[in-house]
Amino acid sequence: MIGGLFVYNHKGEVLISRVYRDDIGRNAVDAFRVNVIHARQQVRSPVTNIAHTSFFHIKRSNIWICAAAKKNVNAALVFQFLYKMVEVMGNYFGKINEDNIKNNFVLIYELLDEIMDYGYPQNTDTGILKTYITQQGIKSQTKEETTKITNQVTGQIAWRREGIKYRRNELFLDVIESVNLLMSPQGQVLSAHVSGRVQMKSFLSGMPECKFGINDKIVVDSKRQEPGATSGGGNLGGGGKAGHIAIDDCQFHQCVKLSKFDTEHAISFIPPDGEFELMRYRTTKDISLPFRVIPLVREIGRTKMEVKVVVKSNFKPSLLAQKVEVRIPTPLNTSGVQVICMKGKARYKASDNAIVWKIKRMGGMKEWQLSAEIDMLSATDKAKKWTRPPISMNFEVPFAPSGFKVRYLKVFESKLNYSDHDVIKWVRYIGKSGLYETRC
Amino acid sequence: VKDSMRGLAVFISDIRNCKSKEAEEKRINKELANIRSKFKGDKALDGYQKKKYVCKLLFIFLLGNDIDFGHMEAVNLLNSNKYTEKQIGYLFISVLISENNELMRLVQQNLKNDLASRNPVHVNLALECIANIGSKEMAEMFAPEIPKLLVMGDAGDTVKQSAALCLLKLFRTAPEMVPIGDWTSRVIHLLNDQHMGVVTAAVSLIEALVKRNPDDFKGCVSLSISRLARIVTSSYTDLQDYTYYFVPAPWLSVKLLRLLQNYPPPEDTTVRNRLAECLETILNKAVEPPKSKKVQHSNAKNAVLFEAISLIIHMDSDPSLLVRACSQLGQFLSNRETNLRYLALESMCLLATSEFSHDAVKRHQETVVTALKSERDVSVRQRAVDLLYAMCDRSNAEEIVGEMLTYLETADYSIRGELVLKIAILAEKYASDYTWYVDTILNLIRLAGDFVSEEVWYRVIQIVINREDVQAYAAKTVFEALEAPACHENMVKVGGYILGEFGNLIAGDARSSPSTQFQLLHGKFHLCSPPTRALLLSAYIKLVNLFPEIREDIIAVLESDANLRNSNVEIQQRASEYLSLARNSTQDVLATVLEEMPPFPERESSILAQLRKKKPAVEDAIRARGEKQQQRPASGAADGAAASAAPTAATPTSGGGGGVKLQGDIAGAESNTDSDLLGLDFGGSAPAAAAGGGGAGGGSVDLLSSILDVGVSSSSSSSAAPSAASGASAQRKTVVVGAGASGSIVGEENWHKFVCKNSGVLYENDILQVGVKCDYQQSSGRIVVYYGNKTPAPLAQFASVINLPDSSLTNQLGIQVKPVGDRVGASEQVNEVITVDCMAEFSACPLLNIRFVYSGVAQSITLKLPLTINKFMQSSEMDSATFFQHWKQLSQPEQECQKIFQAKFPMDAETTKTKILGFGFSLLSNIDSNPANFVGAGIVQTKSGNIGSLFRLEPNQQAQMYRLTVHSIKPGVSKRLCELLETQL
């Protein structure tokens, strides 16, 4: 029961204001601006309670998007809706920024009318929305067309319309994982987890039914009892020990038949047309960490410090990590930095109080090193000690650090005359860094 | 062009253009890194660069970021000779360097150099910085220096101006640090300075100084009057720079007028006439058509006018001026500006208390009443109420009270309580006809029962009981009031009490027969709170006495479980006692026990005290002035007696004190509140004041704080009484030598406290409070002893004698006493002035013997006079070389006295410091190698010569012991000082 939705620019000026329920008054818009956007102290919490009204906000670049609710709503639902809304808007007009919002003013209100009704989220699927909210101006639709849309939107398979036809039936599958890590200076893992998602792009004719197989422990175990189960592809990265992984929790796109998953542990679905996120999951066990950072910090007196950082890549030598970036924080009273590194480029970035070391490409099983000398200005106030924030890292590797593997993806379309073998399938694994930090 | 600091401008515009907080933070981080690398860099920075970076740091700091470097560079800037660089340096220091930063020493050195500089601009910068930091340390360091700048002949105007303001700031932080010297007299002459800026600054300083000791600055009165005359008579073109929207020097005028309010009207007639002329001119100018429509013009003009009016009110001597001021204020009453109306009402309030303008104020009664009704701002309405209260007298009381009552119905809740009190007071004070009074108060209870405090209805009952003529009327009115279907609980209380006492007076009327009266009262019984129920029970038993025919009904009520077994103990007890009284006693016993209340002793209205408690400042002002014109009969005396008189009347009859309680309720409550308000509550307030070292206490008017108040202004007010008696004192011997102490010495602990301080309570018992306040200058001192009578009866044959227990004291001390009269009135206090000259060093302690007769019993109290050798000691400063030289010189065995003793008090360095300073020694740092030790010096000044003394105190925290060594020229002195100091540690 979201009462209203507001969009502000970075100055706190209201760009979009849509009130769904009467319990949200006009002053709610100002209340959020005054208490959150213009608050003297930066508001960290995404949920703020002002005068018995809850405000849930997210930020995209410099835009604040805020949902206000008087009732005790499910906060997770509200945020999920906000993210969906951002996604829908992104799909319609690209990047969310002030100019784009101003230029698509009418469209946004039209969308807001559709995706939410009396505070209850409705259909937020871009594919469907695009069937009746178009950007090509007003195109009068025939009666049949409108009934078709209505039937489809209210029908059983709301996410896919009938009569889609492609000359080439193609399917793209991306497994995108982000690794989060916190490591002690001695190399002990303090916490690590992977959050991954399976992104799919389908260009299939008709109403195909797909079956998706992964190396999840439960699925594999249940399959093992059935005869004729095919084994998966080769080992890419480190991966699970027995070739299967333990997924802590997962969620699926609405097209997945959950009943089938519950009974047979099979992921079966009729995909929407175009791009969508098939599933999302999280693992915490047996993660193969692609990189290790070994820091060595030596403070020489009060005005000098030596830092040595070694980065080790820990995956197959044939693979290539990209966009590797190591951030080494420097003390707040740094007055000068000399950096030496053999590989990549390193630079002291004063505005971030950090040394940023960028490596474009890095093969597996390599070990590269950076050393830096930091000069400091002796502070007048000695009481404050530098807290040594952790060294953080960014990268992209072409495998799934959790060991997640796609075992098969089968397409069945009984009515049209193409079979599983005619579909061209592309599978890609991307491992990214989330919060990848090593204490120093 | 190089001086324009382009880098700074670019940086600031960058920050302003930042779209988000994060971007701003990044930009600042970058800049900070840049500045750090510049400060750290090998290249020496020139002054301009340093200034630029320090400026940037300052800007970053003001944006809310922490700055932890650059302080050194800022201090370096102070060494520059360029104005801008020095200025930025000082700015950074006054904004960013905390008081206890170690760089402060460097800064102070620089400040010293700049103060001594020949360049007035540099001196100004230093002065500004000192004022901006304004710490205690700064005051310590520079307070002695700055006055020199102020009176230096060749100092520039701007320097004088800054010096005056800087000194003012230091005076406000640490008044004790600002020395009194010959400059004080010369500072007055700054009022004659050519430069208006200097005068304005100087007036502010003088006003602050005048508050401390007005006598030293008496000369400023005539000077400021002539200065004021020059401003007032000048046209706005004369003082070009200091004319503000056609008003010549409004700020200066206001300050001068305010300064004059610290003094009584000048005695010299020419001066006085001149002042009157000035004030008249100001009043004349007020009626002139405005020279500008701008609000600033009228604001400035009115500011001067209002200050002039408050001066007129303060002087309270010139009737024509007062009347003119009043008519001027009358015009403001109908002004459009709410603020003006407010101020006009406020000033009129004070005017109304002056005998000269009281009638003039009364003329505006109607306007004020309309203001009360139609004003939109509650604070203005409040003032209107105050003014009506102030302007009320016998002639218009009925009208004003009537208006107030009508207003009460619609009044704001915030002022109702006060309004009720005021109506009650006015009704009582100006009641010519007591039926009117009773009507008014009952009306009051009816209209605003919730806001009627206990005191109000106590007072009605006191008055009704004391005046026979209204009793019947009161009973009738109360009866009628109770007949209303809903009435306030306070009304029930009054009704219960009055019907209980005087129900018989209206029993003849068939409409108010005894049983009707009882039924009426009992009808309200169940709606009341327990205290009221208890009171009603008393009323019932009284009714039993008055009307035996309804006895059975009442017994039934008393018997009911609701009363006899009530969970409230008070009700239960009353019910059971009254029940047995009603059942078992004969009519005679009943008649004695439940006799009609005796009249209350006359006393000051407790309501007045209540009102004063609510709004101390305004009421006191009005009251103080009110007392001047109408000698109000002093009354508080009988207060304590009231509480005790009532019980004694009934105790012999052992019925349980039924009738007593009723009065006890009232009398007991009364005596509580009264004693608080009249300041008889010594127990609570004395320690507080003593701890505060004699600072005047809070709002309550307790005797002790008035002692100290009198002490401050004693020179003028206290001289009258003693001088009258001084003729007689020639015969009376006030100083007795050698006579053994008559009676044991009391108050020894208090005496010890006086070793290190100069004022407080020396002795106190139930009858008498003895306070002491002393001043010592060099070898002579003045001790003012205050005797406060705490009892409601006078102390007769009062006499005090000073005993010198050791005959040698006669040669060592010259004591003269201005004795007190032989009688101390009830709750009065008198003072005795003792002047002492120290001829030579002494060790014995004079005794003060006080004799008086209280309620027929002769009393004698002997106290030790807090007069010790260290009182004549002045601290002296010296460096370590001199100290050690003296120390060695005075190291003969008889000159040295050393004691090792256990600490009596917690060993806290700070308290020890204050004790030593209070004792009279200086504290010299950096002399003893151990910083925990205390080292100091002092000079005992006697008529026969000065006695230098040095001391060293070594605390031992583990053992809780001290080792104290005193070196002095005279052997006796070192011994005595050692003994005295020992008692304090």
Side-chain angles (χ1 to χ4, degrees):
Chain A
M1 295 137 285
I2 294 168
L5 278 173
F6 312 119
V7 179
Y8 304 83
N9 67 4
H10 73 280
K11 287 184 210 147
E13 291 162 349
V14 185
L15 302 177
I16 301 282
S17 158
R18 178 75 171 84
V19 175
Y20 291 100
R21 292 171 81 97
D22 293 341
D23 54 2
I24 296 297
R26 290 190 156 270
N27 50 2
V29 191
D30 297 323
F32 180 75
R33 182 186 39 234
V34 172
N35 289 296
V36 179
I37 302 179
H38 290 165
R40 199 159 281 188
Q41 288 217 312
Q42 205 186 343
V43 176
R44 282 247 174 94
S45 157
V47 184
T48 319
N49 267 310
I50 308 158
H52 303 295
T53 310
S54 314
F55 292 88
F56 308 80
H57 77 263
I58 57 172
K59 245 185 123 180
R60 281 292 174 274
S61 60
N62 274 329
I63 299 294
W64 298 75
I65 300 162
C66 161
K70 200 94 175 177
K71 295 264 167 56
N72 185 13
V73 291
N74 183 342
L77 177 144
V78 177
F79 283 110
Q80 184 66 33
F81 174 76
L82 288 178
Y83 290 131
K84 267 292 185 213
M85 185 181 119
V86 169
E87 190 191 308
V88 168
M89 293 204 286
N91 284 336
Y92 266 93
F93 50 77
K95 222 180 149 229
I96 310 261
N97 56 33
E98 192 175 344
D99 287 339
N100 272 345
I101 288 182
K102 279 182 176 163
N103 293 338
N104 294 286
F105 200 63
V106 181
L107 173 70
I108 292 172
Y109 275 109
E110 210 173 334
L111 283 172
L112 288 180
D113 276 346
E114 280 309 324
I115 59 176
M116 173 157 303
D117 190 17
Y118 195 52
Y120 294 97
Q122 307 292 314
N123 200 340
T124 51
D125 191 293
T126 322
I128 313 295
L129 287 168
K130 277 200 170 159
T131 58
Y132 51 96
I133 300 176
T134 52
Q135 283 164 290
Q136 281 88 42
I138 300 162
K139 187 177 75 187
S140 63
Q141 285 155 322
T142 61
K143 210 165 204 177
E144 290 117 71
E145 272 174 321
T146 37
T147 39
K148 227 169 107 190
I149 288 169
T150 320
N151 282 342
Q152 198 244 308
V153 169
T154 54
Q156 209 177 17
I157 305 167
W159 56 88
R160 189 177 178 96
R161 67 192 160 88
E162 278 183 67
I164 300 169
K165 230 177 180 117
Y166 288 101
R167 273 181 59 205
R168 243 158 77 122
N169 288 310
E170 254 181 320
L171 202 83
F172 297 86
L173 203 68
D174 287 351
V175 176
I176 303 161
E177 294 193 339
S178 62
V179 199
N180 298 292
L181 166 78
L182 183 64
M183 197 178 247
S184 76
Q186 289 76 33
Q188 193 183 1
V189 176
L190 300 172
S191 86
H193 69 97
V194 169
S195 61
R197 57 203 161 93
V198 179
Q199 198 79 26
M200 200 164 162
K201 213 182 241 177
S202 72
F203 303 105
L204 299 171
S205 315
M207 293 291 262
E209 180 155 350
C210 302
K211 270 197 174 171
F212 181 50
I214 54 173
N215 62 339
D216 178 25
K217 206 172 171 183
I218 306 166
V219 179
V220 171
D221 287 353
S222 64
K223 282 275 155 60
R224 207 158 273 167
Q225 283 135 30
E226 295 169 31
T230 49
S231 67
N235 196 346
L236 284 168
K241 284 168 206 156
H244 49 76
I245 59 165
I247 287 176
D248 285 17
D249 48 57
C250 61
Q251 68 188 82
F252 295 103
H253 188 263
Q254 57 167 333
C255 62
V256 175
K257 289 169 187 156
L258 289 177
S259 55
K260 255 197 172 154
F261 181 75
D262 287 342
T263 53
E264 300 166 28
H265 295 291
I267 304 168
S268 144
F269 56 95
I270 297 171
D273 198 31
E275 196 174 346
F276 68 101
E277 187 185 287
L278 179 64
M279 79 178 281
R280 212 177 253 229
Y281 60 91
R282 204 169 67 91
T283 70
T284 47
K285 285 199 192 83
D286 300 326
I287 298 164
S288 75
L289 298 168
F291 288 97
R292 249 205 82 185
V293 175
I294 304 156
L296 197 77
V297 179
R298 214 152 60 92
E299 285 183 43
I300 310 162
R302 279 180 49 221
T303 58
K304 213 168 175 72
M305 199 163 99
E306 261 183 29
V307 182
K308 217 165 98 183
V309 176
V310 179
V311 175
K312 271 188 186 171
S313 59
N314 191 21
F315 45 88
K316 271 202 226 162
S318 57
L319 298 173
L320 217 56
Q322 283 185 311
K323 297 180 194 169
V324 180
E325 184 189 282
V326 185
R327 269 175 186 264
I328 304 146
T330 53
L332 294 175
N333 55 348
T334 305
S335 63
V337 178
Q338 289 90 47
V339 201
I340 307 161
C341 64
M342 291 299 139
K343 294 281 162 62
K345 280 181 190 162
R347 206 159 59 81
Y348 168 57
K349 240 177 150 178
S351 57
D352 298 346
N353 280 323
I355 299 169
V356 180
W357 179 19
K358 282 183 177 165
I359 305 164
K360 273 198 185 132
R361 274 185 212 90
M362 186 169 180
M365 299 317 227
K366 292 251 166 58
E367 187 175 322
W368 289 353
Q369 177 180 323
L370 168 144
S371 57
E373 255 182 44
I374 299 172
D375 289 319
M376 291 174 293
L377 194 71
S378 63
T380 327
D381 185 14
K382 281 162 222 144
K384 259 190 286 176
K385 210 174 169 279
W386 184 49
T387 50
R388 288 204 194 182
I391 295 174
S392 62
M393 208 180 157
N394 289 318
F395 54 80
E396 227 178 86
V397 288
F399 62 90
S402 68
F404 184 96
K405 258 170 246 116
V406 178
R407 285 153 42 103
Y408 56 83
L409 181 68
K410 294 172 189 162
V411 181
F412 307 98
E413 168 54 276
S414 46
K415 284 178 192 159
L416 295 171
N417 54 350
Y418 70 92
S419 70
D420 184 36
H421 300 287
D422 302 330
V423 180
I424 307 159
K425 299 168 199 165
W426 306 87
V427 178
R428 180 164 65 154
Y429 297 90
I430 303 168
K432 281 184 182 168
S433 58
L435 220 60
Y436 203 86
E437 294 180 330
T438 309
R439 289 191 181 153
C440 61
Chain B
V1 190
K2 206 194 167 194
D3 224 36
S4 62
M5 296 201 281
R6 232 178 73 81
L8 178 68
V10 168
F11 173 58
I12 292 175
S13 75
D14 277 1
I15 293 280
R16 296 228 167 111
N17 290 335
C18 280
K19 289 240 161 146
S20 63
K21 266 235 154 71
E22 293 77 36
E24 187 183 305
E25 206 169 299
K26 283 197 167 168
R27 181 69 185 90
I28 287 171
N29 277 340
K30 201 174 147 194
E31 195 60 48
L32 282 176
N34 174 35
I35 298 171
R36 279 196 299 263
S37 69
K38 286 285 192 311
F39 281 172
K40 175 83 179 189
D42 309 325
K43 264 196 295 176
L45 298 175
D46 60 18
Y48 163 74
Q49 281 172 314
K50 262 189 215 160
K51 178 181 74 171
K52 188 174 77 182
Y53 295 130
V54 167
C55 251
K56 280 182 181 173
L57 287 180
L58 201 52
F59 181 76
I60 293 171
F61 176 76
L62 294 177
L63 279 177
N65 302 58
D66 276 346
I67 297 293
D68 51 7
F69 65 100
H71 301 64
M72 201 55 219
E73 281 73 15
V75 174
N76 284 344
L77 276 180
L78 301 185
N79 291 328
S80 160
N81 269 329
K82 283 206 186 108
Y83 171 74
T84 50
E85 287 167 19
K86 226 184 225 314
Q87 183 200 24
I88 294 296
Y90 275 127
L91 185 62
F92 186 91
I93 285 157
S94 39
V95 172
L96 260 160
I97 296 195
S98 62
E99 275 176 39
N100 32 27
N101 195 307
E102 52 200 46
L103 282 175
M104 221 42 177
R105 274 167 197 261
L106 271 174
V107 174
Q108 282 168 347
Q109 194 48 51
N110 273 304
L111 283 170
K112 264 193 185 158
N113 294 345
D114 277 341
L115 275 186
S117 156
R118 291 173 155 252
N119 189 343
V121 175
H122 291 180
V123 181
N124 263 353
L125 281 177
L127 284 170
E128 274 160 26
C129 182
I130 293 170
N132 279 337
I133 297 172
S135 63
K136 208 144 193 158
E137 219 173 297
M138 283 286 158
E140 215 169 295
M141 192 118 195
F142 295 107
E145 303 295 320
I146 295 167
K148 288 175 200 156
L149 287 173
L150 200 55
V151 292
M152 202 160 69
D154 54 348
D157 292 333
T158 47
V159 171
K160 281 187 195 165
Q161 202 173 338
S162 304
L165 291 175
C166 179
L167 192 58
L168 175 62
K169 166 77 186 183
L170 297 184
F171 183 76
R172 281 178 184 157
T173 15
E176 70 281 356
M177 296 294 178
V178 177
I180 306 169
D182 55 343
W183 65 275
T184 40
S185 55
R186 286 168 70 187
V187 84
I188 298 172
H189 292 281
L190 286 179
L191 289 175
N192 268 338
D193 202 282
Q194 295 287 319
H195 193 265
M196 292 287 273
V198 175
V199 185
T200 317
V203 177
S204 298
L205 174 64
I206 292 170
E207 214 210 332
L209 292 169
V210 159
K211 293 245 156 73
R212 180 163 68 167
N213 31 4
D215 296 349
D216 290 1
F217 294 92
K218 269 202 172 131
C220 73
V221 174
S222 61
L223 284 176
S224 49
I225 288 174
S226 62
R227 179 46 100 168
L228 185 66
R230 263 179 283 159
I231 297 170
V232 168
T233 49
S234 69
S235 89
Y236 62 87
T237 46
D238 292 352
L239 302 161
Q240 244 155 15
D241 287 349
Y242 287 85
T243 298
Y244 177 78
Y245 287 88
F246 304 106
V247 182
W251 280 277
L252 181 52
S253 320
V254 165
K255 281 180 179 175
L256 286 170
L257 288 165
R258 226 175 247 173
L259 175 62
L260 288 172
Q261 284 174 46
N262 289 307
Y263 291 100
E267 278 153 28
D268 187 352
T269 43
T270 52
V271 178
R272 189 172 14 193
N273 289 341
R274 197 144 179 224
L275 177 58
E277 254 167 55
C278 286
L279 294 171
E280 217 159 297
T281 326
I282 294 175
L283 287 174
N284 285 341
K285 277 195 181 167
V287 280
E288 279 172 22
K291 292 197 180 65
S292 157
K293 282 215 170 70
K294 288 252 171 65
V295 68
Q296 288 94 331
H297 171 69
S298 59
N299 274 352
K301 211 163 92 170
N302 290 335
V304 177
L305 179 64
F306 270 109
E307 212 50 60
I309 289 177
S310 33
L311 178 59
I312 292 172
I313 296 170
H314 168 79
M315 296 197 306
D316 196 12
S317 56
D318 190 335
S320 72
L321 276 179
L322 281 163
V323 171
R324 280 201 59 187
C326 183
S327 66
Q328 183 58 49
L329 289 177
Q331 281 176 20
F332 284 141
L333 282 185
S334 43
N335 196 293
R336 252 170 7 112
E337 273 282 307
T338 314
N339 289 338
L340 270 185
R341 289 197 301 269
Y342 180 92
L343 288 170
L345 287 169
E346 198 184 27
S347 304
M348 257 201 184
C349 235
L350 292 171
L351 267 180
T353 55
S354 164
E355 51 182 321
F356 303 113
S357 53
H358 186 78
D359 290 325
V361 173
K362 268 164 68 182
R363 249 173 267 146
H364 300 287
Q365 186 180 327
E366 217 160 291
T367 335
V368 181
V369 169
T370 9
L372 186 64
K373 284 176 179 159
S374 58
E375 193 60 62
R376 278 167 62 201
D377 188 329
V378 63
S379 58
V380 183
R381 286 198 295 270
Q382 164 85 63
R383 292 279 149 247
V385 171
D386 288 346
L387 178 54
L388 278 181
Y389 175 71
M391 68 162 67
C392 189
D393 61 13
R394 209 165 282 280
S395 66
N396 55 8
E398 264 179 58
E399 202 178 325
I400 285 180
V401 169
E403 288 294 350
M404 280 176 150
L405 270 177
T406 16
Y407 173 61
L408 185 60
E409 284 178 78
T410 54
D412 311 73
Y413 285 93
S414 53
I415 60 173
R416 270 194 192 187
E418 200 191 313
L419 195 59
V420 164
L421 281 178
K422 287 192 161 151
I423 293 174
I425 291 167
L426 290 179
E428 182 194 334
K429 202 155 135 194
Y430 300 116
S432 45
D433 174 9
Y434 276 89
T435 56
W436 173 74
Y437 171 72
V438 171
D439 278 342
T440 308
I441 298 294
L442 292 183
N443 227 342
L444 197 62
I445 296 176
R446 195 173 50 78
L447 285 174
D450 284 338
F451 295 92
V452 174
S453 59
E454 302 278 290
E455 284 77 16
V456 173
W457 76 265
Y458 292 166
R459 191 68 191 151
V460 188
I461 285 172
Q462 284 170 18
I463 285 177
V464 170
I465 288 187
N466 289 7
R467 306 207 152 254
E468 259 175 51
D469 46 333
V470 287
Q471 286 167 356
Y473 178 78
K476 186 165 153 274
T477 339
V478 164
F479 182 80
E480 280 160 9
L482 284 177
E483 275 181 322
C487 57
H488 195 268
E489 195 167 333
N490 279 336
M491 183 69 92
V492 179
K493 288 182 188 165
V494 179
Y497 200 105
I498 290 186
L499 289 182
E501 293 292 330
F502 311 114
N504 55 337
L505 299 179
I506 55 167
D509 194 331
R511 283 169 296 172
S512 52
S513 68
S515 64
T516 339
Q517 281 183 34
F518 171 65
Q519 292 306 336
L520 191 61
L521 279 180
H522 198 58
K524 315 283 182 202
F525 186 83
H526 303 284
L527 306 170
C528 294
S529 60
T532 315
R533 288 191 193 191
L535 189 146
L536 281 177
L537 288 182
S538 302
Y540 295 165
I541 191 73
K542 286 243 164 188
L543 286 177
V544 170
N545 175 38
L546 294 179
F547 316 116
E549 63 266 34
I550 57 168
R551 196 177 119 175
E552 291 310 314
D553 298 344
I554 290 170
I555 285 181
V557 169
L558 292 174
E559 232 171 8
S560 72
D561 282 353
N563 292 326
L564 205 53
R565 299 196 179 159
N566 195 302
S567 59
N568 186 314
V569 181
E570 181 67 30
I571 293 179
Q572 202 185 98
Q573 183 174 359
R574 285 195 191 198
S576 67
E577 283 177 6
Y578 294 160
L579 186 61
S580 52
L581 193 64
R583 270 197 187 137
N584 308 331
S585 343
T586 62
Q587 196 60 38
D588 289 348
V589 174
L590 274 183
T592 343
V593 173
L594 304 171
E595 201 185 9
E596 200 174 292
M597 282 291 165
F600 285 86
E602 275 305 326
R603 68 175 78 169
E604 189 190 5
S605 168
S606 54
I607 316 174
L608 210 56
Q610 179 85 8
L611 183 63
R612 215 176 304 147
K613 196 161 68 177
K614 268 201 167 154
K615 293 174 71 185
V618 181
E619 282 308 314
D620 277 354
I622 293 178
R623 203 177 69 102
R625 299 168 61 82
E627 276 172 356
K628 247 186 345 192
Q629 352 164 353
Q630 41 182 4
Q631 285 294 327
R632 199 191 303 260
S635 49
D639 267 299
S644 56
T648 46
T651 28
T653 59
S654 58
V660 182
K661 276 209 174 100
L662 195 48
Q663 175 142 18
D665 285 342
I666 294 171
E670 275 269 331
S671 63
N672 275 340
T673 52
D674 274 3
S675 58
D676 279 347
L677 291 162
L678 290 175
L680 290 168
D681 190 9
F682 283 84
S685 55
S700 76
V701 211
D702 67 334
L703 194 57
L704 190 71
S705 68
S706 63
I707 285 181
L708 299 170
D709 284 349
V710 172
V712 172
S713 62
S714 61
S715 56
S716 58
S717 60
S718 64
S719 56
S723 63
S726 62
S729 73
Q731 291 97 25
R732 232 191 306 156
K733 202 173 175 190
T734 48
V735 181
V736 180
V737 182
S742 51
S744 59
I745 297 165
V746 288
E748 187 82 28
E749 317 83 0
N750 278 356
W751 181 82
H752 282 304
K753 287 185 196 150
F754 275 88
V755 173
C756 290
K757 64 173 195 167
N758 280 332
S759 59
V761 179
L762 181 59
Y763 173 73
E764 182 169 16
N765 64 11
D766 292 338
I767 304 166
L768 190 71
Q769 186 189 42
V770 183
V772 169
K773 191 174 188 317
C774 346
D775 285 326
Y776 296 95
Q777 284 216 324
Q778 292 174 345
S779 64
S780 49
R782 200 174 73 133
I783 307 173
V784 187
V785 186
Y786 297 88
Y787 301 102
N789 181 358
K790 287 164 68 175
T791 65
L795 306 178
Q797 296 174 34
F798 193 90
S800 70
V801 177
I802 290 178
N803 274 328
L804 301 180
D806 188 342
S807 58
S808 58
L809 269 179
T810 38
N811 305 328
Q812 290 161 353
L813 287 175
I815 299 186
Q816 283 179 330
V817 184
K818 268 190 192 167
V820 289
D822 61 352
R823 192 183 144 87
V824 182
S827 302
E828 234 184 43
Q829 62 153 314
V830 295
N831 56 8
E832 183 179 46
V833 182
I834 304 170
T835 45
V836 186
D837 283 331
C838 180
M839 302 300 182
E841 75 279 9
F842 64 99
S843 57
C845 183
L847 301 177
L848 176 68
N849 182 249
I850 307 161
R851 288 164 211 265
F852 55 89
V853 176
Y854 171 62
S855 63
V857 183
Q859 311 259 358
S860 167
I861 298 168
T862 306
L863 302 170
K864 265 171 122 179
L865 206 58
L867 182 63
T868 45
I869 182 74
N870 66 303
K871 297 289 181 191
F872 299 101
M873 181 154 72
Q874 286 207 318
S875 65
S876 81
E877 300 287 341
M878 54 182 76
D879 56 28
S880 74
T882 344
F883 182 86
F884 283 114
Q885 189 193 343
H886 287 302
W887 186 265
K888 290 208 183 78
Q889 274 170 7
L890 304 174
S891 55
Q892 279 157 33
E894 64 271 19
Q895 288 174 334
E896 184 186 288
C897 178
Q898 190 173 69
K899 283 199 175 194
I900 298 168
F901 53 90
Q902 196 80 33
K904 293 194 193 58
F905 301 95
M907 292 176 77
D908 174 37
E910 279 315 307
T911 41
T912 313
K913 264 186 202 168
T914 45
K915 275 179 178 168
I916 288 170
L917 289 174
F919 189 80
F921 274 121
S922 62
L923 271 177
L924 304 173
S925 49
N926 300 329
I927 288 186
D928 202 309
S929 53
N930 182 354
N933 291 351
F934 301 96
V935 168
I939 298 166
V940 177
Q941 302 192 325
T942 69
K943 293 274 182 213
S944 58
N946 292 349
I947 306 162
S949 310
L950 306 169
F951 89 100
R952 180 174 187 222
L953 178 69
E954 293 146 282
N956 182 343
Q957 288 287 356
Q958 274 98 42
Q960 291 288 306
M961 301 274 277
Y962 282 109
R963 182 163 69 188
L964 174 65
T965 322
V966 178
H967 284 200
S968 179
I969 298 172
K970 304 251 175 142
V973 175
S974 48
K975 185 163 168 285
R976 181 65 181 156
L977 287 176
C978 205
E979 282 169 8
L980 285 171
L981 202 51
E982 185 195 343
T983 61
Q984 299 302 311
L985 294 168

